[in-house]
């Protein structure tokens, strides 16, 4: 069990550029979640995968955001045409999908849009 | 909708002081309640949880009791240590399956413990 891994840890980009983040969940965890955390706030839910199926998306996830989880393993979160308001910490969590519903979080990707 | 409200911070205590961090929630049905902790430079870690009314979650000397009548899940520790300095988040989920399993978090509170 190597934990949830996120890459990169930090990303600085210019407004209007596209960025992609990767999350590698704990092996055999079938649930994967993306959250966004802005300064001074708690994490906010973005989207959820059960295996490869994306089962729910928050209204926070505008059309510029897309997430995938091919083959039910790693996941990517892409933001197109970034805006300064997209600056935040993007957190990934995975869960084994049991009744305990314990989510294990990665260290996050911090995005700064200049 | 679901929401979690935490007391305003930050909180600064001396080592061995008693800690209480308040958390109240709004949710339909019977949510599961969690406390997560974030140490500097690290990801969120589950500290403790409770899944039904009157359940007490406990871990590392921390405790919290699920109070349905007051919709609260306050975090307590009898004697804090410098190593407890971190950000603490209260959270809930509506259930354990499907989209109900997503977490709704409070704003978090920063605890600093002085030697």
């Amino acid at each position: 069990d190597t934990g949830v891994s996120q890459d990169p840890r930090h990303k600085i980009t210019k407004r209007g550029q596209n960025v992609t983040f990767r999350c590698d969940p704990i092996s055999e965890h079938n649930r994967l979640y993306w959250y966004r955390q802005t300064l001074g706030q708690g994490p906010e839910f973005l989207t959820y995968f059960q295996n490869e199926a994306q089962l729910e998306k928050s209204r926070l996830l505008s059309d510029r955001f897309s997430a995938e989880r091919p083959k039910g393993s790693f996941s990517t979160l892409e933001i197109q045409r970034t805006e300064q308001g997209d600056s935040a910490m993007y957190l990934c969590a995975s869960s084994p999908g049991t009744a305990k519903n314990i989510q294990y979080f990665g260290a996050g990707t911090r995005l700064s849009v200049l | 909708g679901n929401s979690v409200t935490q007391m305003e911070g930050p909180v600064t205590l001396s080592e061995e002081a008693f800690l209480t961090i308040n958390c109240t929630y709004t949710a339909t049905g019977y949510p599961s309640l969690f406390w997560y902790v974030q140490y500097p430079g690290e990801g969120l870690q589950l500290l403790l949880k409770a899944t039904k009314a009157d359940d007490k979650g406990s871990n590392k000397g921390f405790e919290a009791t699920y109070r349905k009548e007051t919709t609260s899940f306050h975090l307590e520790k009898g004697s804090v240590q410098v190593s407890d300095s971190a950000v603490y988040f209260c959270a809930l989920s509506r259930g354990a399956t499907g989209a109900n399993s997503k977490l709704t978090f409070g704003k978090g509170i920063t605890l600093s413990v002085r030697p």
Side-chain angles (χ1 to χ4, degrees), chain A residues 9 31 33 35 37 40-43 45 48 56 91 98-103 105-107, chain B residues 34 36 38 41-44 46 49 89 93 95-99 101-103 105-107:
Chain A
R9 290 293 304 274
R31 295 182 188 174
Y33 307 80
Y35 295 85
Q37 185 178 16
Q41 302 296 316
F45 171 78
Y48 157 66
E56 182 166 340
L91 301 172
T98 66
K100 292 184 178 180
N101 190 28
I102 295 174
Q103 294 183 27
F105 282 80
Chain B
F34 306 82
Y36 275 82
Q38 187 171 32
E42 299 183 16
L44 288 161
L46 178 66
K49 66 176 286 188
F89 293 92
S93 69
T97 58
S101 62
K102 67 184 178 188
L103 294 169
F105 286 88
K107 289 186 176 182

mmCIF file of all heavy atoms in Angstrom, chain A residues 9 31 33 35 37 40-43 45 48 56 91 98-103 105-107, chain B residues 34 36 38 41-44 46 49 89 93 95-99 101-103 105-107:
data_model
loop_
_atom_site.group_PDB
_atom_site.id
_atom_site.type_symbol
_atom_site.label_atom_id
_atom_site.label_comp_id
_atom_site.label_asym_id
_atom_site.label_seq_id
_atom_site.Cartn_x
_atom_site.Cartn_y
_atom_site.Cartn_z
ATOM 1 N N ARG A 9 2.905 17.875 -8.016
ATOM 2 C CA ARG A 9 2.553 18.455 -6.727
ATOM 3 C C ARG A 9 2.222 19.928 -6.867
ATOM 4 O O ARG A 9 1.381 20.453 -6.135
ATOM 5 C CB ARG A 9 3.706 18.278 -5.738
ATOM 6 C CG ARG A 9 3.931 16.833 -5.297
ATOM 7 C CD ARG A 9 2.764 16.297 -4.466
ATOM 8 N NE ARG A 9 2.490 17.124 -3.298
ATOM 9 C CZ ARG A 9 3.105 16.993 -2.139
ATOM 10 N NH1 ARG A 9 4.019 16.067 -1.974
ATOM 11 N NH2 ARG A 9 2.798 17.777 -1.112
ATOM 12 N N ARG A 31 -13.273 2.994 -5.868
ATOM 13 C CA ARG A 31 -13.865 4.329 -5.879
ATOM 14 C C ARG A 31 -12.755 5.376 -5.922
ATOM 15 O O ARG A 31 -11.731 5.243 -5.236
ATOM 16 C CB ARG A 31 -14.704 4.572 -4.631
ATOM 17 C CG ARG A 31 -15.919 3.692 -4.525
ATOM 18 C CD ARG A 31 -16.684 4.059 -3.270
ATOM 19 N NE ARG A 31 -17.768 3.128 -2.998
ATOM 20 C CZ ARG A 31 -18.512 3.174 -1.898
ATOM 21 N NH1 ARG A 31 -18.276 4.093 -0.982
ATOM 22 N NH2 ARG A 31 -19.495 2.303 -1.723
ATOM 23 N N TYR A 33 -12.320 9.801 -6.044
ATOM 24 C CA TYR A 33 -12.989 11.099 -5.898
ATOM 25 C C TYR A 33 -11.992 12.227 -6.206
ATOM 26 O O TYR A 33 -10.811 12.127 -5.881
ATOM 27 C CB TYR A 33 -13.467 11.311 -4.460
ATOM 28 C CG TYR A 33 -14.320 10.207 -3.895
ATOM 29 C CD1 TYR A 33 -13.753 9.037 -3.414
ATOM 30 C CD2 TYR A 33 -15.705 10.348 -3.797
ATOM 31 C CE1 TYR A 33 -14.530 8.028 -2.874
ATOM 32 C CE2 TYR A 33 -16.492 9.347 -3.250
ATOM 33 C CZ TYR A 33 -15.901 8.183 -2.796
ATOM 34 O OH TYR A 33 -16.684 7.196 -2.253
ATOM 35 N N TYR A 35 -11.624 16.387 -5.356
ATOM 36 C CA TYR A 35 -12.108 17.524 -4.583
ATOM 37 C C TYR A 35 -11.239 18.730 -4.917
ATOM 38 O O TYR A 35 -10.088 18.592 -5.344
ATOM 39 C CB TYR A 35 -11.989 17.258 -3.070
ATOM 40 C CG TYR A 35 -12.855 16.146 -2.535
ATOM 41 C CD1 TYR A 35 -12.431 14.818 -2.575
ATOM 42 C CD2 TYR A 35 -14.087 16.415 -1.951
ATOM 43 C CE1 TYR A 35 -13.225 13.788 -2.071
ATOM 44 C CE2 TYR A 35 -14.884 15.398 -1.434
ATOM 45 C CZ TYR A 35 -14.439 14.091 -1.498
ATOM 46 O OH TYR A 35 -15.227 13.083 -0.990
ATOM 47 N N GLN A 37 -9.865 22.430 -3.128
ATOM 48 C CA GLN A 37 -9.757 23.164 -1.873
ATOM 49 C C GLN A 37 -9.121 24.518 -2.130
ATOM 50 O O GLN A 37 -7.993 24.603 -2.613
ATOM 51 C CB GLN A 37 -8.913 22.382 -0.862
ATOM 52 C CG GLN A 37 -8.840 23.018 0.509
ATOM 53 C CD GLN A 37 -8.039 22.178 1.490
ATOM 54 O OE1 GLN A 37 -7.295 21.286 1.105
ATOM 55 N NE2 GLN A 37 -8.183 22.459 2.773
ATOM 56 N N GLY A 40 -8.295 28.629 2.963
ATOM 57 C CA GLY A 40 -9.191 28.919 4.071
ATOM 58 C C GLY A 40 -10.519 28.184 4.038
ATOM 59 O O GLY A 40 -11.387 28.437 4.870
ATOM 60 N N GLN A 41 -10.660 27.285 3.077
ATOM 61 C CA GLN A 41 -11.903 26.533 2.950
ATOM 62 C C GLN A 41 -11.630 25.038 3.052
ATOM 63 O O GLN A 41 -10.500 24.586 2.855
ATOM 64 C CB GLN A 41 -12.573 26.822 1.603
ATOM 65 C CG GLN A 41 -12.890 28.285 1.360
ATOM 66 C CD GLN A 41 -13.906 28.819 2.341
ATOM 67 O OE1 GLN A 41 -14.915 28.160 2.636
ATOM 68 N NE2 GLN A 41 -13.661 30.014 2.862
ATOM 69 N N GLY A 42 -12.683 24.284 3.330
ATOM 70 C CA GLY A 42 -12.549 22.840 3.288
ATOM 71 C C GLY A 42 -12.661 22.336 1.862
ATOM 72 O O GLY A 42 -13.108 23.059 0.970
ATOM 73 N N PRO A 43 -12.245 21.102 1.630
ATOM 74 C CA PRO A 43 -12.374 20.535 0.285
ATOM 75 C C PRO A 43 -13.825 20.489 -0.179
ATOM 76 O O PRO A 43 -14.733 20.250 0.625
ATOM 77 C CB PRO A 43 -11.812 19.123 0.453
ATOM 78 C CG PRO A 43 -10.929 19.191 1.651
ATOM 79 C CD PRO A 43 -11.576 20.180 2.560
ATOM 80 N N PHE A 45 -16.393 18.745 -3.131
ATOM 81 C CA PHE A 45 -16.519 17.623 -4.059
ATOM 82 C C PHE A 45 -16.627 18.101 -5.497
ATOM 83 O O PHE A 45 -17.363 19.048 -5.801
ATOM 84 C CB PHE A 45 -17.762 16.821 -3.682
ATOM 85 C CG PHE A 45 -18.147 15.765 -4.683
ATOM 86 C CD1 PHE A 45 -17.468 14.564 -4.727
ATOM 87 C CD2 PHE A 45 -19.191 15.973 -5.569
ATOM 88 C CE1 PHE A 45 -17.816 13.584 -5.635
ATOM 89 C CE2 PHE A 45 -19.553 15.011 -6.479
ATOM 90 C CZ PHE A 45 -18.862 13.800 -6.511
ATOM 91 N N TYR A 48 -16.867 11.855 -8.990
ATOM 92 C CA TYR A 48 -16.720 10.548 -8.357
ATOM 93 C C TYR A 48 -16.778 9.458 -9.422
ATOM 94 O O TYR A 48 -17.604 9.501 -10.326
ATOM 95 C CB TYR A 48 -17.850 10.387 -7.340
ATOM 96 C CG TYR A 48 -18.224 8.990 -6.956
ATOM 97 C CD1 TYR A 48 -17.339 8.184 -6.260
ATOM 98 C CD2 TYR A 48 -19.483 8.479 -7.272
ATOM 99 C CE1 TYR A 48 -17.689 6.896 -5.892
ATOM 100 C CE2 TYR A 48 -19.841 7.198 -6.908
ATOM 101 C CZ TYR A 48 -18.948 6.411 -6.208
ATOM 102 O OH TYR A 48 -19.297 5.148 -5.847
ATOM 103 N N GLU A 56 -21.013 10.783 -10.718
ATOM 104 C CA GLU A 56 -21.578 12.055 -10.306
ATOM 105 C C GLU A 56 -20.592 13.164 -10.552
ATOM 106 O O GLU A 56 -19.383 12.982 -10.370
ATOM 107 C CB GLU A 56 -21.979 12.047 -8.826
ATOM 108 C CG GLU A 56 -22.631 13.370 -8.382
ATOM 109 C CD GLU A 56 -23.335 13.287 -7.042
ATOM 110 O OE1 GLU A 56 -23.661 12.172 -6.613
ATOM 111 O OE2 GLU A 56 -23.558 14.350 -6.443
ATOM 112 N N LEU A 91 -7.466 17.801 -4.887
ATOM 113 C CA LEU A 91 -7.236 16.612 -4.078
ATOM 114 C C LEU A 91 -7.909 15.400 -4.712
ATOM 115 O O LEU A 91 -9.019 15.490 -5.214
ATOM 116 C CB LEU A 91 -7.801 16.807 -2.671
ATOM 117 C CG LEU A 91 -7.244 17.968 -1.857
ATOM 118 C CD1 LEU A 91 -8.044 18.138 -0.571
ATOM 119 C CD2 LEU A 91 -5.787 17.741 -1.542
ATOM 120 N N THR A 98 -16.101 -0.312 0.584
ATOM 121 C CA THR A 98 -16.808 -1.090 1.593
ATOM 122 C C THR A 98 -17.755 -0.177 2.381
ATOM 123 O O THR A 98 -17.760 1.035 2.196
ATOM 124 C CB THR A 98 -15.821 -1.725 2.577
ATOM 125 O OG1 THR A 98 -15.185 -0.669 3.313
ATOM 126 C CG2 THR A 98 -14.777 -2.539 1.839
ATOM 127 N N ALA A 99 -18.512 -0.791 3.270
ATOM 128 C CA ALA A 99 -19.472 -0.017 4.050
ATOM 129 C C ALA A 99 -18.784 0.995 4.958
ATOM 130 O O ALA A 99 -19.404 1.929 5.427
ATOM 131 C CB ALA A 99 -20.339 -0.960 4.873
ATOM 132 N N LYS A 100 -17.502 0.809 5.224
ATOM 133 C CA LYS A 100 -16.814 1.745 6.102
ATOM 134 C C LYS A 100 -16.631 3.112 5.465
ATOM 135 O O LYS A 100 -16.459 4.106 6.155
ATOM 136 C CB LYS A 100 -15.451 1.177 6.506
ATOM 137 C CG LYS A 100 -15.551 -0.043 7.408
ATOM 138 C CD LYS A 100 -14.165 -0.506 7.843
ATOM 139 C CE LYS A 100 -14.264 -1.702 8.792
ATOM 140 N NZ LYS A 100 -12.914 -2.151 9.225
ATOM 141 N N ASN A 101 -16.604 3.144 4.114
ATOM 142 C CA ASN A 101 -16.528 4.416 3.395
ATOM 143 C C ASN A 101 -15.391 5.294 3.876
ATOM 144 O O ASN A 101 -15.558 6.491 4.084
ATOM 145 C CB ASN A 101 -17.852 5.193 3.506
ATOM 146 C CG ASN A 101 -17.889 6.388 2.567
ATOM 147 O OD1 ASN A 101 -17.248 6.392 1.532
ATOM 148 N ND2 ASN A 101 -18.615 7.417 2.956
ATOM 149 N N ILE A 102 -14.216 4.718 4.074
ATOM 150 C CA ILE A 102 -13.059 5.521 4.459
ATOM 151 C C ILE A 102 -12.326 5.935 3.202
ATOM 152 O O ILE A 102 -11.939 5.090 2.395
ATOM 153 C CB ILE A 102 -12.134 4.721 5.387
ATOM 154 C CG1 ILE A 102 -12.855 4.423 6.699
ATOM 155 C CG2 ILE A 102 -10.843 5.507 5.655
ATOM 156 C CD1 ILE A 102 -12.074 3.526 7.628
ATOM 157 N N GLN A 103 -12.155 7.249 3.039
ATOM 158 C CA GLN A 103 -11.457 7.773 1.874
ATOM 159 C C GLN A 103 -10.026 8.129 2.254
ATOM 160 O O GLN A 103 -9.788 8.751 3.291
ATOM 161 C CB GLN A 103 -12.194 8.998 1.333
ATOM 162 C CG GLN A 103 -13.570 8.652 0.786
ATOM 163 C CD GLN A 103 -14.300 9.822 0.188
ATOM 164 O OE1 GLN A 103 -13.698 10.780 -0.290
ATOM 165 N NE2 GLN A 103 -15.625 9.745 0.202
ATOM 166 N N PHE A 105 -6.664 10.114 1.118
ATOM 167 C CA PHE A 105 -6.359 11.269 0.283
ATOM 168 C C PHE A 105 -4.892 11.313 -0.133
ATOM 169 O O PHE A 105 -4.001 10.936 0.638
ATOM 170 C CB PHE A 105 -6.680 12.564 1.037
ATOM 171 C CG PHE A 105 -8.139 12.893 1.070
ATOM 172 C CD1 PHE A 105 -8.982 12.269 1.975
ATOM 173 C CD2 PHE A 105 -8.673 13.813 0.188
ATOM 174 C CE1 PHE A 105 -10.337 12.558 2.002
ATOM 175 C CE2 PHE A 105 -10.020 14.119 0.205
ATOM 176 C CZ PHE A 105 -10.859 13.490 1.116
ATOM 177 N N GLY A 106 -4.671 11.823 -1.346
ATOM 178 C CA GLY A 106 -3.330 12.167 -1.766
ATOM 179 C C GLY A 106 -2.939 13.528 -1.211
ATOM 180 O O GLY A 106 -3.750 14.221 -0.598
ATOM 181 N N ALA A 107 -1.686 13.906 -1.459
ATOM 182 C CA ALA A 107 -1.175 15.181 -0.946
ATOM 183 C C ALA A 107 -1.666 16.376 -1.759
ATOM 184 O O ALA A 107 -1.524 17.519 -1.325
ATOM 185 C CB ALA A 107 0.345 15.164 -0.913
ATOM 186 N N PHE B 34 -17.258 12.405 10.271
ATOM 187 C CA PHE B 34 -15.822 12.155 10.246
ATOM 188 C C PHE B 34 -15.060 13.376 10.781
ATOM 189 O O PHE B 34 -15.506 14.508 10.638
ATOM 190 C CB PHE B 34 -15.327 11.919 8.811
ATOM 191 C CG PHE B 34 -16.053 10.852 8.054
ATOM 192 C CD1 PHE B 34 -17.253 11.115 7.432
ATOM 193 C CD2 PHE B 34 -15.506 9.581 7.938
ATOM 194 C CE1 PHE B 34 -17.927 10.129 6.718
ATOM 195 C CE2 PHE B 34 -16.169 8.589 7.224
ATOM 196 C CZ PHE B 34 -17.383 8.865 6.623
ATOM 197 N N TYR B 36 -11.183 14.635 9.902
ATOM 198 C CA TYR B 36 -9.938 14.445 9.168
ATOM 199 C C TYR B 36 -8.909 15.454 9.697
ATOM 200 O O TYR B 36 -9.265 16.557 10.111
ATOM 201 C CB TYR B 36 -10.138 14.682 7.669
ATOM 202 C CG TYR B 36 -10.642 13.476 6.915
ATOM 203 C CD1 TYR B 36 -11.999 13.156 6.897
ATOM 204 C CD2 TYR B 36 -9.766 12.647 6.231
ATOM 205 C CE1 TYR B 36 -12.461 12.048 6.199
ATOM 206 C CE2 TYR B 36 -10.214 11.539 5.531
ATOM 207 C CZ TYR B 36 -11.560 11.245 5.522
ATOM 208 O OH TYR B 36 -12.006 10.143 4.835
ATOM 209 N N GLN B 38 -5.028 17.306 8.816
ATOM 210 C CA GLN B 38 -4.020 17.579 7.786
ATOM 211 C C GLN B 38 -2.798 18.175 8.446
ATOM 212 O O GLN B 38 -2.816 19.326 8.902
ATOM 213 C CB GLN B 38 -4.589 18.535 6.738
ATOM 214 C CG GLN B 38 -3.698 18.754 5.537
ATOM 215 C CD GLN B 38 -4.407 19.538 4.448
ATOM 216 O OE1 GLN B 38 -5.241 20.383 4.718
ATOM 217 N NE2 GLN B 38 -4.080 19.230 3.196
ATOM 218 N N GLY B 41 2.178 19.960 5.022
ATOM 219 C CA GLY B 41 2.821 19.304 3.885
ATOM 220 C C GLY B 41 2.312 17.919 3.566
ATOM 221 O O GLY B 41 2.849 17.248 2.683
ATOM 222 N N GLU B 42 1.268 17.480 4.253
ATOM 223 C CA GLU B 42 0.747 16.129 4.032
ATOM 224 C C GLU B 42 -0.705 16.161 3.573
ATOM 225 O O GLU B 42 -1.372 17.182 3.640
ATOM 226 C CB GLU B 42 0.869 15.307 5.318
ATOM 227 C CG GLU B 42 2.292 15.129 5.802
ATOM 228 C CD GLU B 42 2.363 14.250 7.032
ATOM 229 O OE1 GLU B 42 1.382 13.551 7.338
ATOM 230 O OE2 GLU B 42 3.425 14.256 7.689
ATOM 231 N N GLY B 43 -1.193 15.020 3.115
ATOM 232 C CA GLY B 43 -2.584 14.903 2.712
ATOM 233 C C GLY B 43 -3.500 14.721 3.909
ATOM 234 O O GLY B 43 -3.064 14.455 5.017
ATOM 235 N N LEU B 44 -4.797 14.840 3.646
ATOM 236 C CA LEU B 44 -5.785 14.620 4.685
ATOM 237 C C LEU B 44 -5.747 13.177 5.164
ATOM 238 O O LEU B 44 -5.635 12.246 4.364
ATOM 239 C CB LEU B 44 -7.187 14.904 4.140
ATOM 240 C CG LEU B 44 -7.540 16.361 3.898
ATOM 241 C CD1 LEU B 44 -8.726 16.454 2.954
ATOM 242 C CD2 LEU B 44 -7.867 17.035 5.210
ATOM 243 N N LEU B 46 -7.783 10.386 7.832
ATOM 244 C CA LEU B 46 -8.924 10.154 8.698
ATOM 245 C C LEU B 46 -8.446 10.039 10.138
ATOM 246 O O LEU B 46 -7.552 9.262 10.458
ATOM 247 C CB LEU B 46 -9.650 8.878 8.301
ATOM 248 C CG LEU B 46 -10.843 8.511 9.173
ATOM 249 C CD1 LEU B 46 -11.955 9.547 9.007
ATOM 250 C CD2 LEU B 46 -11.347 7.121 8.842
ATOM 251 N N LYS B 49 -14.234 8.394 13.102
ATOM 252 C CA LYS B 49 -15.540 8.457 12.462
ATOM 253 C C LYS B 49 -16.613 7.847 13.354
ATOM 254 O O LYS B 49 -16.295 7.109 14.298
ATOM 255 C CB LYS B 49 -15.526 7.718 11.129
ATOM 256 C CG LYS B 49 -15.322 6.227 11.247
ATOM 257 C CD LYS B 49 -15.422 5.539 9.880
ATOM 258 C CE LYS B 49 -16.831 5.467 9.390
ATOM 259 N NZ LYS B 49 -16.988 4.657 8.175
ATOM 260 N N PHE B 89 -10.529 19.014 10.073
ATOM 261 C CA PHE B 89 -11.741 19.168 9.263
ATOM 262 C C PHE B 89 -12.814 18.202 9.756
ATOM 263 O O PHE B 89 -12.558 17.002 9.876
ATOM 264 C CB PHE B 89 -11.471 18.857 7.789
ATOM 265 C CG PHE B 89 -10.558 19.824 7.103
ATOM 266 C CD1 PHE B 89 -9.192 19.588 7.058
ATOM 267 C CD2 PHE B 89 -11.058 20.969 6.500
ATOM 268 C CE1 PHE B 89 -8.341 20.473 6.417
ATOM 269 C CE2 PHE B 89 -10.213 21.854 5.850
ATOM 270 C CZ PHE B 89 -8.854 21.610 5.818
ATOM 271 N N SER B 93 -20.887 12.281 5.286
ATOM 272 C CA SER B 93 -21.372 11.678 4.054
ATOM 273 C C SER B 93 -22.782 11.155 4.329
ATOM 274 O O SER B 93 -23.092 10.752 5.448
ATOM 275 C CB SER B 93 -20.463 10.547 3.560
ATOM 276 O OG SER B 93 -20.541 9.433 4.423
ATOM 277 N N GLY B 95 -24.103 8.520 3.089
ATOM 278 C CA GLY B 95 -24.138 7.065 3.149
ATOM 279 C C GLY B 95 -22.806 6.491 2.742
ATOM 280 O O GLY B 95 -21.829 7.225 2.549
ATOM 281 N N ALA B 96 -22.782 5.172 2.600
ATOM 282 C CA ALA B 96 -21.525 4.487 2.285
ATOM 283 C C ALA B 96 -21.449 4.027 0.844
ATOM 284 O O ALA B 96 -20.417 3.536 0.410
ATOM 285 C CB ALA B 96 -21.333 3.296 3.217
ATOM 286 N N THR B 97 -22.540 4.174 0.100
ATOM 287 C CA THR B 97 -22.554 3.631 -1.250
ATOM 288 C C THR B 97 -22.841 4.718 -2.279
ATOM 289 O O THR B 97 -23.514 5.711 -1.985
ATOM 290 C CB THR B 97 -23.624 2.533 -1.391
ATOM 291 O OG1 THR B 97 -24.898 3.094 -1.064
ATOM 292 C CG2 THR B 97 -23.326 1.375 -0.456
ATOM 293 N N GLY B 98 -22.320 4.492 -3.462
ATOM 294 C CA GLY B 98 -22.600 5.373 -4.582
ATOM 295 C C GLY B 98 -22.240 6.808 -4.307
ATOM 296 O O GLY B 98 -21.285 7.104 -3.580
ATOM 297 N N ALA B 99 -23.003 7.708 -4.921
ATOM 298 C CA ALA B 99 -22.722 9.131 -4.793
ATOM 299 C C ALA B 99 -22.947 9.627 -3.370
ATOM 300 O O ALA B 99 -22.437 10.683 -2.992
ATOM 301 C CB ALA B 99 -23.583 9.924 -5.773
ATOM 302 N N SER B 101 -21.594 8.566 -0.933
ATOM 303 C CA SER B 101 -20.347 8.417 -0.189
ATOM 304 C C SER B 101 -19.457 9.654 -0.265
ATOM 305 O O SER B 101 -18.465 9.732 0.449
ATOM 306 C CB SER B 101 -19.574 7.201 -0.719
ATOM 307 O OG SER B 101 -19.233 7.391 -2.084
ATOM 308 N N LYS B 102 -19.790 10.617 -1.122
ATOM 309 C CA LYS B 102 -18.952 11.810 -1.207
ATOM 310 C C LYS B 102 -18.983 12.557 0.115
ATOM 311 O O LYS B 102 -19.968 12.522 0.847
ATOM 312 C CB LYS B 102 -19.425 12.713 -2.338
ATOM 313 C CG LYS B 102 -20.790 13.329 -2.097
ATOM 314 C CD LYS B 102 -21.245 14.140 -3.301
ATOM 315 C CE LYS B 102 -22.629 14.702 -3.039
ATOM 316 N NZ LYS B 102 -23.199 15.334 -4.248
ATOM 317 N N LEU B 103 -17.880 13.232 0.413
ATOM 318 C CA LEU B 103 -17.750 13.949 1.670
ATOM 319 C C LEU B 103 -18.089 15.433 1.511
ATOM 320 O O LEU B 103 -17.709 16.054 0.521
ATOM 321 C CB LEU B 103 -16.323 13.818 2.205
ATOM 322 C CG LEU B 103 -15.904 12.406 2.625
ATOM 323 C CD1 LEU B 103 -14.398 12.344 2.868
ATOM 324 C CD2 LEU B 103 -16.661 11.978 3.865
ATOM 325 N N PHE B 105 -17.330 18.834 3.622
ATOM 326 C CA PHE B 105 -16.404 19.274 4.663
ATOM 327 C C PHE B 105 -16.789 20.624 5.251
ATOM 328 O O PHE B 105 -17.387 21.477 4.580
ATOM 329 C CB PHE B 105 -14.981 19.426 4.083
ATOM 330 C CG PHE B 105 -14.271 18.139 3.802
ATOM 331 C CD1 PHE B 105 -14.422 17.513 2.581
ATOM 332 C CD2 PHE B 105 -13.441 17.568 4.756
ATOM 333 C CE1 PHE B 105 -13.756 16.329 2.305
ATOM 334 C CE2 PHE B 105 -12.762 16.388 4.489
ATOM 335 C CZ PHE B 105 -12.928 15.769 3.263
ATOM 336 N N GLY B 106 -16.391 20.838 6.505
ATOM 337 C CA GLY B 106 -16.381 22.169 7.078
ATOM 338 C C GLY B 106 -15.149 22.923 6.603
ATOM 339 O O GLY B 106 -14.320 22.394 5.869
ATOM 340 N N LYS B 107 -15.005 24.170 7.058
ATOM 341 C CA LYS B 107 -13.907 25.015 6.590
ATOM 342 C C LYS B 107 -12.563 24.621 7.175
ATOM 343 O O LYS B 107 -11.515 25.012 6.661
ATOM 344 C CB LYS B 107 -14.180 26.481 6.949
ATOM 345 C CG LYS B 107 -15.289 27.108 6.143
ATOM 346 C CD LYS B 107 -15.390 28.594 6.448
ATOM 347 C CE LYS B 107 -16.437 29.254 5.564
ATOM 348 N NZ LYS B 107 -16.517 30.713 5.802
#
